[in-house]
Amino acid sequence: MTSTHNTARLSSFVQQFGSLLDRHPTELEILAQGGNLLGQLVAQDDWLPNAYTQPHPQYYQQYLLHADPLGRFSVVSFVWGPGQATPIHDHTVWGLIGMLRGAEESQAFARNSDGRWLAHGEPHLLAPGEIDAVSPRIGDVHRVRNTLADQVSISIHVYGADIGKVQRSVYLEDGTRKPFVSGYSHAAALLLEPTN
Ligand code: FE
């Protein structure tokens, strides 16, 4: 069996993202230039190995695709089963979201004067090839869902840290905060494809 996946796309993305960060850009530059790089990566859907596309019947999956050895960024494949959604959550670092397959919706939340979280602005609906961004500066709290009721959706996320290890929070609409460390899902070894 030979893999038809163009895995060079991901390695080239990782290399270019590392070069961008070598230049010590501002967050605004990371989101703009890094967003362009991510846009190029998700413009084609021929590179993500099957092991990182597998949904779970109950939970959305977060497969680590790359962790920068210097800890400056991580690249994660988010795989949403039909109708799956996150709780309201934050990131604490900048994040870029690139839609690869299917469709997802990101709804921003803002805290009102009595501490409750309310939907803030219109939801961002992402189609394949489209990019969204989060950060404590531009808006860090959102809820994301697969808008497709009968299909898997996949988005590629890049964060300014090894996001699976970051101490962050999920929130209930009444304002209750729960500490949260996402970790990563484990890609099933049996599904790994040969590399070429
Ligand atoms: Fe998020």
Side-chain angles (χ1 to χ4, degrees):
M1 189 173 88
T2 53
S3 170
T4 55
H5 290 112
N6 187 348
T7 48
R9 285 198 208 286
L10 178 62
S11 24
S12 160
F13 171 79
V14 162
Q15 191 264 322
Q16 290 183 77
F17 214 99
S19 302
L20 166 60
L21 296 181
D22 287 343
R23 302 195 286 272
H24 302 289
T26 64
E27 182 184 286
L28 213 62
E29 291 167 336
I30 295 171
L31 295 181
Q33 296 168 33
N36 285 340
L37 294 175
L38 182 58
Q40 290 164 30
L41 180 67
V42 298
Q44 263 102 13
D45 184 5
D46 62 357
W47 57 270
L48 185 64
N50 286 341
Y52 307 104
T53 67
Q54 303 299 315
H56 181 279
Q58 264 180 293
Y59 308 108
Y60 62 93
Q61 299 293 92
Q62 305 161 73
Y63 298 111
L64 179 64
L65 299 178
H66 179 77
D68 177 48
L70 302 176
R72 299 172 301 172
F73 70 105
S74 54
V75 185
V76 183
S77 162
F78 269 63
V79 181
W80 309 92
Q84 288 175 351
T86 68
I88 302 171
H89 66 276
D90 66 13
H91 312 84
T92 77
V93 293
W94 58 260
L96 284 162
I97 298 140
M99 201 73 217
L100 183 70
R101 197 178 297 178
E104 74 183 43
E105 183 190 86
S106 167
Q107 173 64 62
F109 279 76
R111 224 197 273 269
N112 74 359
S113 52
D114 55 343
R116 294 174 60 86
W117 290 98
L118 297 175
H120 178 72
E122 292 299 309
H124 298 181
L125 186 60
L126 292 186
E130 293 183 337
I131 302 296
D132 199 7
V134 290
S135 94
R137 284 168 222 227
I138 64 170
D140 197 36
V141 176
H142 70 168
R143 182 165 61 198
V144 181
R145 68 184 185 96
N146 181 359
T147 57
L148 304 179
D150 55 357
Q151 267 183 61
V152 169
S153 290
I154 301 177
S155 50
I156 305 301
H157 298 209
V158 187
Y159 298 98
D162 187 351
I163 194 68
K165 297 180 180 166
V166 173
Q167 303 269 355
R168 44 198 181 122
S169 303
V170 300
Y171 301 96
L172 304 182
E173 291 194 22
D174 69 7
T176 309
R177 183 182 86 87
K178 293 193 223 164
F180 152 70
V181 177
S182 68
Y184 296 110
S185 311
H186 295 286
L190 284 176
L191 295 167
L192 282 170
E193 294 167 293
T195 50
N196 50 13

